[in-house]
Amino acid sequence: MELFLDTAEVDEVREIASWGILDGVTTNPSLIKKSGRDFKTVVEEIANLCGGPISAEVTALDAEGMVKEGLDLKASLPENVIIKVPCTPEGLKATKELSDKGIGVNVTLIFTASQALMSAKAGAMYVSPFIGRIDDTGHNGMDLISDILQTWHNYPEIKTKVLAASIRHPTHVLECMRLGAHTVTMPTKIFRQLMKHPLTESGIERFLLDWAEVENAGNA
Ligand code: E4P
């Protein structure tokens, strides 16, 4: 399972990449705005810190504009940058054109299994269903992951990876693991939460106390 960081904060990418388990990064226009920095500079710095796929999102609404932006991003940024496009009919056209040129595309803002299937047919490398935003509407976002994975099971010729996005808490990630999602993108806070357990912490504390006694007794 691939673990991606959902951020435009370079220091966070540096920290999680240092753990040795970071497979990629997703950014979006809102995350870039929050960083307060220049879009291409941020993506370039991130792409140099993490060798996996780094999603950079286009903002055009028409296919021609999306392809133009995508080609410009590919030409001016490191090789591992992939292009994120919204899940619309124009986005499908752009996905087809970019993926036919061998460019990786992540189709974002997916809220139904049919949107995911059509994006896969257009050649997407990743489809990004947004779990948390579905939960926000009072429905169960995990059902969408389950529906998409069932669809993939029904049509084994689909090679597109299911990238669970809009992750709000560690349980979302554990559920994705259980269902077999290919990839999860999550904020830094959730990376940290997933590695934390009070019994690990108290266990280390106990071992260190006992070891100090071993040393004091001169048995180390
Ligand atoms: C995914 O690529 C998106 O950047 C992200 O997961 C959106 O999450 P949000 O719903 O918390 O904004």
Side-chain angles (χ1 to χ4, degrees):
M1 186 196 211
E2 293 178 315
L3 300 179
F4 285 10
L5 193 54
D6 195 29
T7 190
E9 299 298 330
V10 175
D11 285 345
E12 294 182 5
V13 177
R14 188 174 293 109
E15 180 198 337
I16 303 300
S18 77
W19 293 8
I21 55 157
L22 184 62
D23 297 305
V25 178
T26 49
T27 67
N28 66 39
S30 304
L31 293 170
I32 297 290
K33 176 188 159 196
K34 201 169 147 209
S35 78
R37 300 188 62 214
D38 173 68
F39 174 37
K40 282 189 182 173
T41 307
V42 167
V43 174
E44 183 171 5
E45 287 177 14
I46 290 174
N48 288 330
L49 283 169
C50 173
I54 311 300
S55 292
E57 189 159 343
V58 299
T59 50
L61 294 177
D62 62 306
E64 197 185 332
M66 289 183 204
V67 170
K68 192 163 167 285
E69 278 183 50
L71 292 177
D72 170 62
L73 291 167
K74 282 302 289 178
S76 53
L77 290 169
E79 184 58 30
N80 52 329
V81 170
I82 66 170
I83 307 305
K84 207 174 183 189
V85 307
C87 187
T88 61
E90 291 298 302
L92 283 187
K93 286 188 217 170
T95 300
K96 175 82 180 129
E97 204 172 324
L98 290 167
S99 62
D100 279 353
K101 292 182 196 296
I103 294 172
V105 178
N106 172 2
V107 181
T108 190
L109 290 165
I110 288 192
F111 293 94
T112 66
S114 53
Q115 287 180 314
L117 179 79
M118 290 182 188
S119 303
K121 283 179 71 74
M125 177 184 279
Y126 290 96
V127 287
S128 291
F130 275 36
I131 305 176
R133 293 194 194 186
I134 293 178
D135 288 353
D136 291 345
T137 68
H139 294 86
N140 183 1
M142 288 313 307
D143 288 347
L144 174 58
I145 303 296
S146 171
D147 286 350
I148 295 174
L149 290 172
Q150 178 61 50
T151 306
W152 267 220
H153 178 75
N154 295 344
Y155 302 101
E157 66 274 19
I158 298 176
K159 300 295 175 222
T160 303
K161 291 179 179 174
V162 178
L163 194 176
S166 187
I167 298 285
R168 298 281 162 76
H169 46 74
T171 309
H172 275 154
V173 181
L174 296 172
E175 280 290 296
C176 284
M177 287 159 58
R178 194 176 63 80
L179 291 170
H182 305 88
T183 312
V184 169
T185 188
M186 56 189 145
T188 304
K189 179 183 159 196
I190 293 174
F191 260 94
R192 293 198 187 108
Q193 287 175 324
L194 285 167
M195 271 309 292
K196 207 173 158 65
H197 197 283
L199 290 178
T200 305
E201 286 165 15
S202 61
I204 291 171
E205 202 178 325
R206 183 70 258 157
F207 286 153
L208 290 181
L209 287 170
D210 288 343
W211 191 245
E213 286 186 32
V214 171
E215 284 182 321
N216 284 341
N219 293 331

